[in-house]
Amino acid sequence: MSALLEAVRAGRTAEVVGLLDGLTDAERRAFLPELKDLRKELRTAPWGHPSRHAYPTLHAAGAACETGAAAAVSWIAGSDMRWSQSSAALLLHVLGDRDASWLADVTHRLAGRPASAGVSYELMAGLIRLSGCPVPTTETYVQAWVSHTGQMWQLGDTLFERLRRDPHLAELMAALFETNDVAGPMEWSSAENVEGWVDAIARLTAEGALDRKRTVDACMARLLRGGATLDQRAFLRVLKGLALTREEEREHIADWLALASDAVPTAASHAQSVLGSLALDGELTPRRLAEMSDAVLFRSEKKLVRAQLVLLGKVLARDASAVAEVLPAVAQAFGHEDTDVQERALKLVERHLKKVDSPEVRAQLASAADQLAPALRARAVESLGAAPVTSAETVYEEVLPPAPEPVRLGPAPESAVELAEEVGALLATEGEVPVFERVLDGLVRHAYRDHKTLVEALEPVVARRWWHSDDPEDARRADDHFSRTHRAFGSAEYGLDLLLATLQDKVRTVTLHEGAQDGHRSRTCGHSALSRAFDARVWEVAYRLRVEPLPFLLSTPSWNTGLLEPDELVDRLDTYRRLGARASAADFAQALLRVRRGDRAAAAAAAERAESLGTAEGVRLARWLTSERPSLPLSRRRVSGPRVLLEFGELLDMQEDFPAEFRTLGQPVTVYGDNWYCYHWNRDMQRHWLAILPERRELIAARIVRDVSAVALDGTRGAAAVLPLLAESDGVAGEATHLCLAYGLGARHPGDRLAAVDALLVLAARGQLDGDRLGTDLGQLVRSGAVKPSRLAESMRTGAATGANTSIWGILRHTLSALLADLDGDVKPAQARGLGDLLAVAAECAERSGARGELPHLAQTADRAGSSRLVMQARRLRSALVAGVAA
């Protein structure tokens, strides 16, 4: 061991620097092999091991000994030393005696690294000073410059003063407007409470340190380019800080039009205000205003649309000559999804129609009225001369998406190599239930046929797994890990890891036996019954792979929903009988729970065949198939604050003759008790739970309703993604399923609401949607505060937009009956704030579907004084129900 390596190992930095001073390039390169060996050694050292203290010294020594620029940069920015680097000052010291051109090369290579490499700004800036090279304007360098400059408050000066002293201000500021992800550091600088980037850039521009035209153009170009919302807001503040003159605003009219059309809402709103000011001052031609309106009126942001209609009304009031250009633009709003916007646009057209002299423009306005909602279109027939509604148009037909068809599961891969490829893909993507089931069955089949060939084919796949190692000590740790996890799998991937580790002999037989025999040792929660059934099957399959391989699995589903055809199960049992194979208890129990019993004729025929097999499993299957159809347990609602949950009673048929880990599926489902802690964080497991009981989705829904409720009550994201799969499952869609759907429709995030709408449409298409039940549930949840009316209105509007107006009205009439009953006198409950939006959706659905009749408590709201959205939409709904208008 050389003296240098000994000093590096000991972390004696000053000694290392002394040993490196004055060495030639050849002498430096001679130390590299032993430094690289030390680096490899430290990579495998456990976190916190004393040897890792050598990292900072090693980092500096390696950088000094690398004589090539690319190699030096690779060493400095190495990911293994990112959290244990030497200081920038030390690196500058050991690199300072190099040639200026070499230092410049290193500088630009470091600046070209991704920002995630964590290269020190002080190091790059110091290298620029040493080499005298041009400042790099890469994304990494500019981001580091912004962050560093904005946080140097310890110097006692301001950001403006620091920027003014920067010799590279012009180059870096020009690059700033072209760099992504700088808004965060720009905002952090505001912690100084003196001034931030907005004020600093404005002052630098005002005093001439920055060219004003170039800065304005660069800021405008950045906003036009788009990007992350946070960045857009930051540069919009910069643009506002520059306080553009009217002349500068006129120079950028085309840019304002583009921003109003396509920019993020904050930037579009500012562009709209600038253009509105120009238009009111007569500096924006009617044609340009119409061009702007054509784009803005089709934006989804209602605030922008309404502001545009207000602007158009002001322009038309000031300049009567603009009607020929502007009114057709207003009529574009007749096709807006919000009927309130349609009504505002129609009122504006009606107000200024008398100023129109051109027959062509009048015909254009009348033609555009075809897009109006039915009640507004009837009004436009009189005011605009629109074509009346024909009898053919009044016939309404519900439009629902086709009900999803189940998909047959393909056979397991024929060759071990193909199976290994599917295993790798499954591990990389956390695939769907059908993929997992095919892979699981494939592992069992190939282990039975040729265990050695299977293990060889899987070698490239398992080589990258966390538990795979040739070190016996690592193998022991992997076995301990599987043994210590309470024999519970947090994900299907983890269960697959157990099977692969078993095939590779990384898990002891005693561990597999204990997992298959003793079951769970963890605390229970609302999902435990489902996870225990899933885990028991995987553990038992793993144990049988070791001691008594199965020829194939009995429980592999026939369909992607998890259903297993009874004839197929009888065929598999017959093959088991001929081979003399002993069935796995957990596998057979899962097969029973998956086998289709809804088709009573097919079940009876299969039961007769099963009985004739003469095996215990055949007799058990025959008895199961001919037993009474699955019934729902007794249920009871429990309320916990605003949250409404369900409790289920006991199901005896789910406990008789089933293994212990499956009997819990028939035990009562309780809301309270020893089930506060839950380790089921991976929501992908919900798909596998649905496949455990594919004909009894209510039992799944009751156990996940608390999870789904969180998307509405707690604002979590993603828990409603299971709802479309729940809707595609079989069995009665009862109280639990509809309660889950109700929470999903009131979710905070649009993605969850969209999933709930998909589930609603699937249930409706399958004839399983109970609108009365769902509407009543929604009314209860809105009244309790669990669901906000505005979010529910968005979901209902999305469902209605697909053509499901009758279904949506069937739901809302029950929801509104409960909510309108609370509007007594002047008392306005919290849910009244968004009730107008909900009434608007209901009114549109009633108009389009031709619904008639009375809605309890609607009249008292419609008869109120005033013109609030709540009152206006109540009147509109009452008119629709009385008139029966349809379109």
Side-chain angles (χ1 to χ4, degrees), residues 392-736:
E393 290 178 297
T394 60
V395 178
Y396 174 77
E397 183 177 352
E398 181 88 331
V399 178
L400 293 170
E405 297 289 336
V407 179
R408 270 276 183 180
L409 227 67
E414 284 296 326
S415 72
V417 173
E418 290 175 322
L419 175 62
E421 291 175 352
E422 290 210 15
V423 170
L426 180 61
L427 290 171
T429 61
E430 188 71 33
E432 301 292 333
V433 173
V435 181
F436 176 81
E437 292 292 341
R438 288 180 68 252
V439 165
L440 186 62
D441 186 46
L443 290 173
V444 171
R445 288 176 182 270
H446 285 280
Y448 181 80
R449 295 175 192 168
D450 191 340
H451 183 278
K452 182 179 178 181
T453 301
L454 174 61
V455 170
E456 291 176 354
L458 289 171
E459 189 63 38
V461 177
V462 302
R464 298 187 294 271
R465 303 310 292 172
W466 59 268
W467 46 263
H468 186 271
S469 174
D470 294 330
D471 187 344
E473 183 64 21
D474 289 340
R476 185 188 64 79
R477 282 196 290 267
D479 179 84
D480 286 346
H481 184 80
F482 282 114
S483 179
R484 285 186 286 102
T485 53
H486 307 294
R487 307 190 184 104
F489 303 118
S491 65
E493 177 187 356
Y494 191 21
L496 188 57
D497 268 321
L498 173 66
L499 299 174
L500 296 174
T502 300
L503 290 169
Q504 297 288 328
D505 291 328
K506 303 298 183 183
V507 185
R508 295 179 303 155
T509 303
V510 65
T511 300
L512 298 173
H513 182 267
E514 289 174 354
Q517 297 298 318
D518 298 342
H520 274 242
R521 298 177 299 184
S522 60
R523 296 164 64 181
T524 61
C525 69
H527 313 102
S528 294
L530 300 167
S531 63
R532 285 184 175 186
F534 178 88
D535 298 344
R537 176 169 171 246
V538 174
W539 274 106
E540 195 162 307
V541 168
Y543 177 64
R544 293 293 296 270
L545 284 175
R546 176 66 55 80
V547 301
E548 187 183 358
L550 297 164
F552 50 81
L553 292 179
L554 295 172
S555 59
T556 303
S558 307
W559 303 96
N560 65 319
T561 59
L563 275 177
L564 172 58
E565 292 298 332
D567 280 338
E568 290 186 35
L569 181 53
V570 175
D571 291 340
R572 293 173 187 176
L573 288 175
D574 189 26
T575 304
Y576 263 56
R577 179 187 60 80
R578 288 188 286 102
L579 294 174
R582 181 174 65 87
S584 159
D587 184 42
F588 181 59
Q590 179 62 89
L592 291 178
L593 295 176
R594 282 178 172 171
V595 70
R596 184 193 297 274
R597 292 195 287 170
D599 187 341
R600 303 307 293 168
E608 186 176 345
R609 287 184 56 211
E611 186 84 34
S612 66
L613 293 178
T615 62
E617 288 78 16
V619 173
R620 176 76 177 93
L621 174 60
R623 189 166 68 250
W624 180 257
L625 289 172
T626 54
S627 62
E628 294 184 6
R629 296 185 65 178
S631 59
L632 291 178
L634 296 175
S635 64
R636 178 175 62 171
R637 291 201 167 203
R638 300 294 293 267
V639 178
S640 175
R643 190 176 261 109
V644 178
L645 301 173
L646 277 179
E647 291 186 333
F648 272 2
E650 190 175 32
L651 284 172
L652 295 178
D653 68 317
M654 299 284 291
Q655 300 183 58
E656 299 172 353
D657 299 327
F658 276 95
E661 295 300 301
F662 284 79
R663 291 175 194 161
T664 53
L665 291 169
Q667 293 177 358
V669 177
T670 61
V671 173
Y672 306 107
D674 297 330
N675 56 0
W676 296 107
Y677 176 78
C678 178
Y679 60 89
H680 301 98
W681 305 295
N682 189 337
R683 295 196 180 99
D684 289 330
M685 286 302 297
Q686 293 175 344
R687 300 175 295 184
H688 296 274
W689 293 343
L690 281 168
I692 292 174
L693 295 166
E695 271 194 325
R696 310 187 81 168
R697 61 177 153 202
E698 276 291 282
L699 300 184
I700 310 296
R703 289 175 167 88
I704 64 173
V705 66
R706 181 185 286 274
D707 302 332
V708 181
S709 70
V711 301
L713 278 158
D714 306 326
T716 60
R717 191 193 302 266
V722 71
L723 294 179
L725 298 177
L726 187 67
E728 293 176 25
S729 193
D730 285 305
V732 176
E735 191 173 11

Side-chain angles (χ1 to χ4, degrees), residues 40 93 123 126 131 138 226 256 260 368 389 407 636 639 718 746 757 769 821 849 859 872:
K40 291 179 182 178
H93 178 79
L123 173 61
S131 65
T138 63
W256 298 125
V389 179
V407 179
R636 178 175 62 171
V639 178
V757 172
L769 179 66
S849 64
M872 296 298 293

Side-chain angles (χ1 to χ4, degrees), residues 56-355:
T57 310
L58 175 64
H59 187 242
C65 291
E66 291 283 8
T67 55
V73 168
S74 179
W75 185 284
I76 293 170
S79 59
D80 56 329
M81 292 187 281
R82 186 172 304 163
W83 304 109
S84 303
Q85 295 183 358
S86 57
S87 67
L90 177 59
L91 287 173
L92 291 172
H93 178 79
V94 298
L95 297 176
D97 59 350
R98 302 296 183 91
D99 182 74
S101 61
W102 187 91
L103 291 174
D105 193 5
V106 168
T107 303
H108 284 271
R109 288 177 183 270
L110 285 173
R113 289 273 173 160
S116 59
V119 179
S120 165
Y121 170 77
E122 290 91 339
L123 173 61
M124 292 186 287
L127 290 172
I128 292 171
R129 289 193 299 271
L130 290 174
S131 65
C133 67
V135 63
T137 55
T138 63
E139 193 165 273
T140 294
Y141 189 83
V142 175
Q143 288 176 356
W145 172 69
V146 172
S147 179
H148 178 80
T149 307
Q151 294 181 13
M152 291 174 60
W153 53 268
Q154 301 94 333
L155 297 180
D157 54 3
T158 64
L159 175 62
F160 165 72
E161 292 166 342
R162 293 194 294 273
L163 289 173
R164 186 166 56 176
R165 291 196 303 266
D166 195 317
H168 308 291
L169 175 63
E171 302 97 307
L172 290 173
M173 193 60 70
L176 173 68
F177 290 100
E178 299 178 358
T179 303
N180 296 318
D181 301 324
V182 292
M186 289 173 69
E187 292 296 318
W188 297 336
S189 67
S190 299
E192 300 176 43
N193 294 321
V194 178
E195 66 175 359
W197 282 87
V198 173
D199 294 330
I201 293 175
R203 289 183 62 186
L204 290 168
T205 304
E207 73 171 20
L210 294 175
D211 181 82
R212 181 174 179 85
K213 185 178 188 311
R214 185 175 300 174
T215 303
V216 171
D217 290 346
C219 194
M220 190 69 74
R222 175 55 188 265
L223 292 173
L224 288 169
R225 193 183 75 189
T229 302
L230 191 61
D231 277 354
Q232 292 290 88
R233 289 174 178 171
F235 285 105
L236 177 61
R237 284 193 290 273
V238 172
L239 184 64
K240 290 180 178 178
L242 292 173
L244 270 61
T245 64
R246 180 49 60 94
E247 179 61 30
E248 288 172 327
E249 289 176 345
R250 283 197 299 269
E251 289 177 2
H252 291 278
I253 285 179
D255 296 333
W256 298 125
L257 289 171
L259 289 175
S261 302
D262 302 316
V264 297
T266 50
S269 178
H270 178 69
Q272 184 184 48
S273 66
V274 172
L275 290 170
S277 177
L278 291 171
L280 293 175
D281 289 346
E283 298 185 76
L284 188 69
T285 65
R287 182 177 295 278
R288 281 293 184 93
L289 182 60
E291 179 186 341
M292 168 193 176
S293 300
D294 287 344
V296 174
L297 292 177
F298 275 98
R299 291 188 63 118
S300 59
E301 300 87 3
K302 296 176 187 176
K303 184 177 180 180
L304 286 175
V305 174
R306 291 169 183 169
Q308 187 68 19
L309 290 175
V310 171
L311 170 63
L312 294 174
K314 291 179 178 179
V315 171
L316 289 171
R318 293 190 178 193
D319 184 7
S321 64
V323 291
E325 294 279 2
V326 174
L327 272 191
V330 175
Q332 296 294 321
F334 290 174
H336 199 277
E337 62 176 14
D338 187 356
T339 54
D340 185 51
V341 171
Q342 293 182 17
E343 186 173 10
R344 288 170 184 254
L346 179 59
K347 285 181 178 179
L348 187 57
V349 171
E350 290 172 338
R351 188 182 307 135
H352 297 281
L353 183 64
K354 60 181 178 292
K355 303 175 185 177

